[in-house]
């Protein structure tokens, strides 16, 4: 995988937004896989700024969601559907019709998972999938020891993830759903380009295990090592435990400009 070390979260957001803009210039109806959480917000802000400035036309873009809580009432502001509509779909000037995601309120969750996996294939597959990383190494909500071949399915959150996400529920752990639907690791690996962003010192251990550790389901993000086009963008703090940081800096500084991310 390619590792790109940038000074801070703003620079990361601009770099990844530019890669998304380049994709949209090549393929205006690209299917963009988006992630929730705090980390990707600078990407969405930078991409919306490009759209507002007329630097890219996102009017035909399609947006696919990575994961969703199970059991939140429809329209709950912290459901990932509502979050992605608020943070990505609306700012890009898209309509809800451009959005696809798993149905976390379905009576038959298993059927909803299978339907979402099929819908992604029928939509032509994800062109660029943004990923965050949990402090426990998860991608999407594929918690440690998720099968590297997994498909979209229901998962139980770890106590660590519940604690990490309580900030979105007024700090009240009891309000955080215990179950989620997540694209599986096998599903995620089918996207044409994976872009994982990690910022802050709290992610440094997970990033080091992902990039320099063995491929192992105990670190789900390490599955990116199996993908032919995976980019890991990290700020200096998240890169602080990478032994090969200087090598990654050297490689990226000498990369031919035309290659892009
Ligand atoms: P965060 O979440 O961006 O809010 O840290 C990342 C994740 O859990 O994947």
């Amino acid at each position: 995988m390619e590792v790109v070390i940038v000074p801070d979260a703003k620079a990361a957001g601009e770099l990844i937004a530019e890669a998304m803009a380049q994709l949209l210039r090549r393929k205006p109806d690209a299917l963009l896989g988006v992630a929730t959480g705090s980390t990707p917000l600078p990407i969405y802000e930078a991409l919306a700024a490009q759209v507002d400035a007329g630097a890219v036309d996102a009017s035909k873009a399609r947006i696919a969601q990575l994961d969703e809580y199970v059991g939140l009432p429809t329209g709950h502001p912290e459901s990932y559907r509502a979050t992605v509509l608020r943070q990505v779909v609306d700012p890009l000037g898209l309509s809800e019709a451009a959005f696809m995601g798993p149905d976390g309120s379905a009576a038959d969750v298993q059927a909803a998972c299978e339907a979402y996996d099929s819908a992604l294939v029928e939509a032509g597959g994800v062109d660029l999938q943004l990923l965050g990383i949990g402090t426990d190494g998860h991608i999407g909500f594929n918690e440690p020891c998720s099968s590297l071949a997994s498909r979209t399915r229901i998962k139980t959150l770890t106590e660590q993830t519940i604690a990490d996400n309580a900030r979105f529920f007024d700090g009240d752990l009891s309000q955080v759903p215990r179950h989620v639907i997540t694209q599986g690791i096998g599903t995620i690996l089918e996207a044409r380009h994976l872009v994982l962003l990690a910022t802050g010192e709290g992610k440094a251990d997970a990033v080091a295990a992902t990039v320099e550790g063995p491929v192992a389901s105990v670190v789900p993000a390490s599955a990116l090592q199996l993908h032919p086009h995976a980019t890991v963008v990290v700020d200096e703090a998240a890169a602080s435990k990478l032994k090969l940081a200087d090598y990654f800096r050297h490689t990226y500084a000498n990369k031919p400009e035309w290659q892009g991310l």
Side-chain angles (χ1 to χ4, degrees):
M1 63 179 81
E2 178 178 38
V3 180
V4 182
I5 302 173
V6 294
D8 53 32
K10 185 165 183 287
E14 285 167 2
L15 181 72
I16 297 172
E18 177 54 28
M20 295 170 85
Q22 282 174 13
L23 168 62
L24 288 169
R25 289 182 200 114
R26 264 194 330 269
K27 184 176 180 183
D29 66 344
L31 183 56
L32 305 174
V34 296
T36 48
S38 309
T39 310
L41 293 177
I43 306 171
Y44 305 144
E45 282 161 21
L47 186 58
Q50 286 223 28
V51 169
D52 290 347
V56 62
D57 177 7
S59 61
K60 295 193 177 67
R62 297 170 298 147
I63 306 295
Q65 191 180 332
L66 188 58
D67 45 17
E68 179 59 282
Y69 291 117
V70 170
L72 286 183
T74 307
H76 189 289
E78 292 307 328
S79 73
Y80 283 173
R81 180 183 185 94
T83 303
V84 171
L85 292 176
R86 190 170 63 238
Q87 295 177 347
V88 184
V89 174
D90 291 346
L92 293 183
L94 297 170
S95 76
E96 212 168 327
F99 169 89
M100 56 193 293
D103 182 0
S105 58
D108 185 342
V109 175
Q110 183 59 31
C113 293
E114 287 168 22
Y116 189 52
D117 246 13
S118 302
L120 289 170
V121 173
E122 280 157 27
V126 174
D127 290 293
L128 185 155
Q129 177 66 55
L130 295 176
L131 297 166
I133 184 170
T135 53
D136 63 2
H138 71 211
I139 46 172
F141 274 133
N142 293 284
E143 298 286 29
C145 297
S146 289
S147 159
L148 300 186
S150 50
R151 312 300 306 175
T152 301
R153 68 211 183 292
I154 189 166
K155 288 291 287 182
T156 303
L157 295 181
T158 61
E159 287 183 38
Q160 188 173 338
T161 300
I162 290 168
D164 284 347
N165 285 11
R167 68 189 193 280
F168 297 114
F169 294 86
D170 299 323
D172 183 352
L173 267 67
S174 72
Q175 296 301 307
V176 184
R178 268 41 186 171
H179 297 110
V180 291
I181 293 176
T182 182
Q183 284 188 35
I185 297 175
T187 314
I188 291 170
L189 290 175
E190 284 170 7
R192 294 180 185 89
H193 183 193
L194 300 178
V195 180
L196 185 148
L197 173 60
T199 52
E201 208 181 336
K203 300 290 173 67
D205 284 321
V207 166
T210 295
V211 173
E212 296 175 346
V215 175
S217 65
V218 73
V219 183
S222 67
L224 267 67
Q225 295 180 33
L226 300 169
H227 195 281
H229 190 187
T231 309
V232 175
V233 180
V234 284
D235 68 357
E236 290 289 346
S240 60
K241 298 204 171 151
L242 288 172
K243 292 192 187 73
L244 296 175
D246 284 343
Y247 166 72
F248 296 134
R249 284 192 191 91
H250 167 82
T251 307
Y252 187 64
N254 289 286
K255 184 174 179 176
E257 203 171 311
W258 56 266
Q259 281 188 344
L261 271 193

